[in-house]
Structures are given as C-alpha cells and as structure tokens.
Amino acid sequence: MKENSSMCETCFRHCILQEGKTGFCRARWNKNGIVTAKNYGQLTSLALDPIEKKPLVLFFPGSLILSAGSYGCNLRCPFCQNSDISQSGSEHYTEYLSPEELAAKALSLRSRGNIGVAYTYNEPLVGWEYVRDTAKFVRDYDMKNVIVTNGCVLESVLDEILPYTDAMNIDLKGFTEKWYRTLGGDLETVKKAITICSKQCHVELTTLIVPGCNDSEEEMRLLASWVASVNRETALHITRFFPRWQMKETEPTEVKTIYSLAKIAGEYLIHVFTGNC
C-alpha cells in the first residue's frame, strides 16, 4: 500500500485511497489517514413513504416511514432508478441533517402515522456511520429503523448497525456470480449478509427480473431454494424491470414472466409477492 493511503473496510472492494480521495462508491474518502463517510448527514432525499414502498409487506403494514437518502453506491447497476443520486458524489446538491435532527424529524411525524426512519434511495451503508448514529436516536424515541440495501457490505459493518436495526429489505439481484460481476457486486458477500441479518432482524428480499439477464426458471429455483434454506418464511418480492438509466432501450419484463417465476419461488417459500405489474 502506498504511503499516505488507507484501505476502506466497508465492502468487498477494499478500495485503497490516497489522502483526500474517494473510493468507487464516491461516498467514502481518506481524511487525515482515516477512511470515513464523506456523505455523513448530507441528504439528497427526504419523504414520508408507505412502508410497502421499501418494499416491506410483513413489517407494520399500512404504516408510513420517513425515508432518507444521500448519495453514492458501491454497485453500478445499469438499470438503477435512482442513478442521479446513487451514481453521483459530493457534487450533488445536499442539505445537512445531523443524526439528532433526522431522528427529531421522524418523531415530529409520529402523529401522521410515521413509525421511524428508512435509510434508502441510494446505498445507505456506504455511509453506515450516519445510519448507526441516527438509528441510536431513533431507538431512543421508541421508533423503528429500516435499511434498504444491496447487501454488499462486510460483516464488520453489519456488526455496527444491526443492534439498532428493526427491518431490512435486501436486494438479491440474481443468483449467478456472472450477473453480479456485471453489476459490480459479489454474490457471496450478499448471501452472507442475508444469512447474518435474517438472524437479527426482520428481512425481506427483492429480486428485479431483467429480461435475458436473470429471468431463467433454473436461476429462480436456485435462488428460492437457497433463501428457503436460510428461512422459508422470508418474503421475496419479484419485481418487473422497466427501462432506466443505461438500459433505456431494453423492453420491460413481460408480466407473464414475473408471475411464472413467482409461482416457481412459491414452491420453496411461503411469502412471495410480485411488483411493478
């Protein structure tokens, strides 16, 4: 490792960062020899959403949750629907909200049906320190913490956030290493995260079906049977692809494909849901 450089220990990439430089995710940087979240408290999005939008359908259904997002992501999914923030860095317009302020905002919305804070929109765990720090205050108000993540983080990060996490929706983007390499991710890292998180909080999974990429019956059987081996009661959301970002010319997934794959998943799992149909 070069002089004045430090290694990021957030995800499988282990980016080596020179002083003042950001990593692949554009959200973590080397500041005075320590790799930390450059996007700490820098919010790009804040909205009161239905919990089902996360999507979570078995966790406080019918409730609302304050959803907060920043910038940055450690994957490069060409179909990302939030690419304007997930694939940007500190050049994106943000407003700073301290952990105390975000938690207080959540509390102020309790009378409107808000149950807590969801860390979402971009990949929240590239800024896990802010998630951890805010989650502590949210818990002090006896409210809930929800994380919507791609799951491409190391166990050390999960150790920091899981004590304060009530529910997660984790993207399981497919079940082949080839597809994950295309997205810039690592399947085994995600599988390990799902296994760990399923033992410590409520977990639901989302698989976006992209035509010609992860839409085979064989892959769905492998995916669903593996999820069942972790916990057969885990909810799996099988969702329809629509053209986005770098895949604007790709046709949407056929509705019949979504229902066919959901039927296969239902042979292994108790809770299977379809989305975007």
Side-chain angles (χ1 to χ4, degrees):
M1 196 160 57
K2 295 181 180 179
E3 188 177 355
N4 299 321
S5 65
S6 297
M7 179 184 291
C8 182
E9 299 285 358
T10 294
C11 80
F12 65 96
R13 292 185 178 281
H14 297 290
C15 293
I16 305 295
L17 308 179
Q18 295 294 305
E19 176 66 32
K21 299 298 183 179
T22 56
F24 181 88
C25 67
R26 300 173 181 157
R28 301 191 67 76
W29 68 331
N30 181 345
K31 183 179 181 182
N32 300 323
I34 299 173
V35 179
T36 188
K38 189 174 185 179
N39 67 350
Y40 189 100
Q42 303 296 332
L43 300 188
T44 59
S45 310
L46 193 65
L48 190 61
D49 289 332
I51 194 75
E52 289 81 5
K53 190 178 177 181
K54 298 306 97 191
L56 292 171
V57 297
L58 302 180
F59 184 80
F60 290 86
S63 64
L64 300 175
I65 194 159
L66 181 62
S67 300
S70 184
Y71 62 81
C73 183
N74 57 346
L75 297 188
R76 292 289 184 269
C77 303
F79 46 77
C80 181
Q81 63 179 352
N82 292 325
S83 59
D84 59 323
I85 57 173
S86 69
Q87 305 305 318
S88 66
S90 57
E91 75 278 1
H92 198 287
Y93 175 77
T94 63
E95 290 190 12
Y96 179 78
L97 230 62
S98 71
E100 299 95 326
E101 290 171 327
L102 180 54
K105 178 69 173 177
L107 180 63
S108 73
L109 295 169
R110 178 180 266 169
S111 62
R112 292 177 55 183
N114 180 44
I115 64 169
V117 175
Y119 310 89
T120 181
Y121 299 136
N122 71 310
E123 172 48 54
L125 296 184
V126 296
W128 60 265
E129 298 96 331
Y130 182 70
V131 173
R132 176 199 60 195
D133 296 348
T134 305
K136 291 179 181 179
F137 287 104
V138 172
R139 274 283 181 86
D140 286 344
Y141 290 135
D142 196 28
M143 301 184 79
K144 306 300 182 184
N145 289 297
V146 169
I147 299 174
V148 181
T149 176
N150 61 38
C152 280
V153 294
L154 300 183
E155 186 173 354
S156 57
V157 172
L158 299 177
D159 289 342
E160 292 284 346
I161 62 157
L162 279 173
Y164 314 101
T165 302
D166 298 286
M168 302 178 80
N169 184 286
I170 303 175
D171 282 339
L172 181 53
K173 296 178 182 291
F175 214 67
T176 67
E177 286 289 357
K178 180 181 178 180
W179 179 230
Y180 261 92
R181 283 195 298 271
T182 300
L183 307 179
D186 180 72
L187 176 58
E188 290 305 314
T189 299
V190 179
K191 288 168 64 178
K192 185 173 183 179
I194 291 170
T195 302
I196 292 171
C197 295
S198 294
K199 296 175 182 177
Q200 298 190 49
C201 69
H202 177 83
V203 170
E204 300 187 22
L205 306 176
T206 297
T207 301
L208 180 74
I209 302 300
V210 183
C213 298
N214 65 342
D215 58 349
S216 73
E217 293 185 0
E218 178 184 7
E219 184 168 346
M220 181 52 66
R221 288 190 183 280
L222 291 172
L223 185 153
S225 62
W226 178 81
V227 174
S229 74
V230 176
N231 185 348
R232 189 164 176 261
E233 295 188 3
T234 299
L236 175 63
H237 301 262
I238 300 176
T239 60
R240 188 184 181 206
F241 161 87
F242 284 97
R244 292 290 187 274
W245 195 31
Q246 297 174 338
M247 296 187 73
K248 291 182 179 179
E249 304 304 318
T250 304
E251 290 295 317
T253 315
E254 292 189 12
V255 173
K256 65 179 182 181
T257 300
I258 299 299
Y259 286 116
S260 175
L261 294 178
K263 183 178 180 180
I264 290 171
E267 296 175 14
Y268 303 89
L269 299 168
I270 297 174
H271 305 291
V272 178
F273 303 93
T274 57
N276 296 341
C277 292

